[in-house]
Every structure is written in C-alpha cells, then in structure tokens.
Amino acid sequence: ILADLGTLELACGNLDAARASQEEARGYLLALHDDEGVMMVLQGLCLAALRQEDLLAAVSFSTDALTRCRLLGNSRIFAYGILNAALCASTLGEHECAAKLHGAADALFEQRSEVLWRIEAEFRDLDHIRLRQSMSDSVFVTAYETGRSLSPTDATNLVSRHRSEEHTSELQSLTNL
C-alpha cells in the first residue's frame, strides 16, 4: 500500500511524499524478502529522484533495480529498469545511449505485449521529445532503432558502459555543487 501511495504521490507531483512513502515501503519489502516489490519500488524511487533532479540517487536506484532484475531473472521489471537507465542517460547528456536504451526498453515492452503505466509513459514520451530536439529526429531514430535490436544482455552491457568510472566521477561531482 505504501508503494502504491508513493506512485500516486509521484503522479500528483508530491515528490517528497512519494520518495518518503516508497523509501518506507522499500524497508518493509526488504524485511519481507519481497524481491519483486523491492525492484518495483526502486523504479518509482528513480523516477521521483529524476523529477527532483537528484541524479546521483536516480542512478543508484536504477542500478540497484537492474542488478536485482538480472540476478533474479525478472524480465518484466527488467524493461522498466532499462527505461529508467535511458532516462538517467538522457539527464546525464548521453543522448545516443539514451535513445538506444529507449529503443531496447520499448522492444522489451512490445515483446511482452505490455502497456506502460501512465507515469512511465509520460516520462518516456517527454524524454523522446527532448532527445529528438537535442539530437535531431533522424539521429534519434537511427539510435532508437539500433536499440530495438539489442538483446537484453547487450542493453545491460550498454548501461554498464554508460555507468563507467568516468560517469561515476561526473555524478559524484554533481553532489559537490
């Protein structure tokens, strides 16, 4: 219930309340060993952190969720993790990487015939618009289509390269501003 409340708070723009509810839910879910619940809450925490422009936390939540998905073999939540990684890459200015990850995430959702939740769809759609404006439409489409052909392993490797030591230093410098 706390996780759902956090999602509603996020949708309403109450970001502090969203993160507080989802952080509390994460604690309970960890204690209950509800791995799928933890992964879902981490996705919501990433989105809230992105809205709050807390990029270090967003990347941390996204990385934790993707790691758990990979270790537990959860392909349904994995697509959301790739989407969150795309949003983080875009915020970091890694536009080509973001476009590829968006393509990979969309392909994974389509393979599962899954419709995105409204909040994730809004984040994705707005990011597609921003990327098309910053990269040009044709460059975005090329990168996006390349991403659609990535295997889940290749998408994970792209995220790992994106979160290299260079970007970790970059992220840490953001906390010192």
Short mmCIF file of all heavy atoms in Angstrom, two decimals, residues 55-56 59 92 163 166-176:
data_model
loop_
_atom_site.label_atom_id
_atom_site.label_comp_id
_atom_site.label_asym_id
_atom_site.label_seq_id
_atom_site.Cartn_x
_atom_site.Cartn_y
_atom_site.Cartn_z
N LEU A 55 20.20 13.33 -9.41
CA LEU A 55 20.69 12.36 -10.38
C LEU A 55 21.50 11.24 -9.73
O LEU A 55 21.41 10.08 -10.14
CB LEU A 55 21.52 13.07 -11.45
CG LEU A 55 21.91 12.25 -12.66
CD1 LEU A 55 20.71 11.59 -13.31
CD2 LEU A 55 22.64 13.10 -13.66
N LEU A 56 22.27 11.56 -8.71
CA LEU A 56 23.06 10.54 -8.03
C LEU A 56 22.14 9.47 -7.44
O LEU A 56 22.37 8.27 -7.63
CB LEU A 56 23.93 11.17 -6.94
CG LEU A 56 24.93 10.26 -6.26
CD1 LEU A 56 25.93 9.72 -7.27
CD2 LEU A 56 25.65 11.02 -5.16
N VAL A 59 20.39 7.37 -10.38
CA VAL A 59 21.27 6.37 -10.96
C VAL A 59 21.47 5.22 -9.97
O VAL A 59 21.48 4.05 -10.36
CB VAL A 59 22.61 6.99 -11.39
CG1 VAL A 59 23.64 5.93 -11.74
CG2 VAL A 59 22.40 7.93 -12.57
N LEU A 92 21.97 12.78 -18.00
CA LEU A 92 23.42 12.96 -17.98
C LEU A 92 23.97 13.55 -19.28
O LEU A 92 25.14 13.83 -19.38
CB LEU A 92 24.12 11.62 -17.74
CG LEU A 92 24.25 11.17 -16.30
CD1 LEU A 92 24.71 9.72 -16.23
CD2 LEU A 92 25.22 12.07 -15.56
N ARG A 163 27.64 3.64 -17.25
CA ARG A 163 27.89 3.92 -15.83
C ARG A 163 29.33 3.59 -15.48
O ARG A 163 29.62 3.12 -14.39
CB ARG A 163 26.91 3.14 -14.98
CG ARG A 163 25.51 3.63 -15.25
CD ARG A 163 24.50 3.11 -14.34
NE ARG A 163 23.22 3.70 -14.74
CZ ARG A 163 22.08 3.16 -14.47
NH1 ARG A 163 22.01 2.07 -13.79
NH2 ARG A 163 20.97 3.74 -14.87
N GLU A 166 34.18 6.92 -15.38
CA GLU A 166 34.14 8.32 -15.81
C GLU A 166 32.83 8.97 -15.39
O GLU A 166 32.81 10.08 -14.87
CB GLU A 166 34.29 8.37 -17.33
CG GLU A 166 34.15 9.75 -17.93
CD GLU A 166 34.19 9.69 -19.45
OE1 GLU A 166 34.86 8.81 -19.99
OE2 GLU A 166 33.52 10.54 -20.06
N HIS A 167 31.71 8.28 -15.60
CA HIS A 167 30.42 8.84 -15.25
C HIS A 167 30.19 8.84 -13.75
O HIS A 167 29.54 9.72 -13.22
CB HIS A 167 29.29 8.10 -15.97
CG HIS A 167 29.31 8.33 -17.44
ND1 HIS A 167 29.05 9.55 -17.99
CD2 HIS A 167 29.61 7.50 -18.46
CE1 HIS A 167 29.17 9.47 -19.31
NE2 HIS A 167 29.52 8.24 -19.61
N THR A 168 30.77 7.86 -13.05
CA THR A 168 30.66 7.84 -11.59
C THR A 168 31.31 9.08 -11.02
O THR A 168 30.76 9.74 -10.14
CB THR A 168 31.30 6.56 -11.02
OG1 THR A 168 30.65 5.44 -11.60
CG2 THR A 168 31.16 6.51 -9.52
N SER A 169 32.48 9.45 -11.54
CA SER A 169 33.16 10.66 -11.08
C SER A 169 32.31 11.88 -11.39
O SER A 169 32.20 12.80 -10.58
CB SER A 169 34.52 10.80 -11.75
OG SER A 169 35.32 9.69 -11.44
N GLU A 170 31.75 11.90 -12.58
CA GLU A 170 30.88 13.01 -13.01
C GLU A 170 29.69 13.14 -12.06
O GLU A 170 29.33 14.24 -11.64
CB GLU A 170 30.41 12.72 -14.43
CG GLU A 170 29.71 13.85 -15.12
CD GLU A 170 29.36 13.43 -16.55
OE1 GLU A 170 30.24 12.95 -17.27
OE2 GLU A 170 28.18 13.60 -16.92
N LEU A 171 29.07 12.02 -11.73
CA LEU A 171 27.92 12.03 -10.81
C LEU A 171 28.32 12.52 -9.43
O LEU A 171 27.63 13.30 -8.81
CB LEU A 171 27.30 10.65 -10.70
CG LEU A 171 26.46 10.19 -11.87
CD1 LEU A 171 26.13 8.71 -11.74
CD2 LEU A 171 25.19 11.00 -11.95
N GLN A 172 29.47 12.04 -8.95
CA GLN A 172 29.91 12.45 -7.62
C GLN A 172 30.21 13.94 -7.59
O GLN A 172 29.96 14.59 -6.58
CB GLN A 172 31.12 11.64 -7.19
CG GLN A 172 30.73 10.21 -6.87
CD GLN A 172 31.91 9.31 -6.62
OE1 GLN A 172 33.05 9.62 -6.95
NE2 GLN A 172 31.65 8.15 -6.01
N SER A 173 30.70 14.51 -8.69
CA SER A 173 30.96 15.95 -8.71
C SER A 173 29.66 16.75 -8.64
O SER A 173 29.66 17.86 -8.13
CB SER A 173 31.77 16.33 -9.95
OG SER A 173 30.96 16.25 -11.11
N LEU A 174 28.55 16.17 -9.10
CA LEU A 174 27.27 16.86 -9.02
C LEU A 174 26.83 17.05 -7.57
O LEU A 174 26.16 18.02 -7.24
CB LEU A 174 26.19 16.08 -9.77
CG LEU A 174 26.29 16.05 -11.28
CD1 LEU A 174 25.25 15.10 -11.86
CD2 LEU A 174 26.12 17.44 -11.86
N THR A 175 27.22 16.14 -6.70
CA THR A 175 26.81 16.25 -5.29
C THR A 175 27.62 17.33 -4.57
O THR A 175 27.22 17.78 -3.50
CB THR A 175 26.99 14.91 -4.54
OG1 THR A 175 28.37 14.55 -4.56
CG2 THR A 175 26.14 13.83 -5.15
N ASN A 176 28.71 17.75 -5.16
CA ASN A 176 29.55 18.79 -4.55
C ASN A 176 29.18 20.19 -4.98
O ASN A 176 29.82 21.15 -4.58
CB ASN A 176 31.02 18.53 -4.88
CG ASN A 176 31.50 17.22 -4.32
OD1 ASN A 176 31.06 16.79 -3.26
ND2 ASN A 176 32.40 16.56 -5.04
#
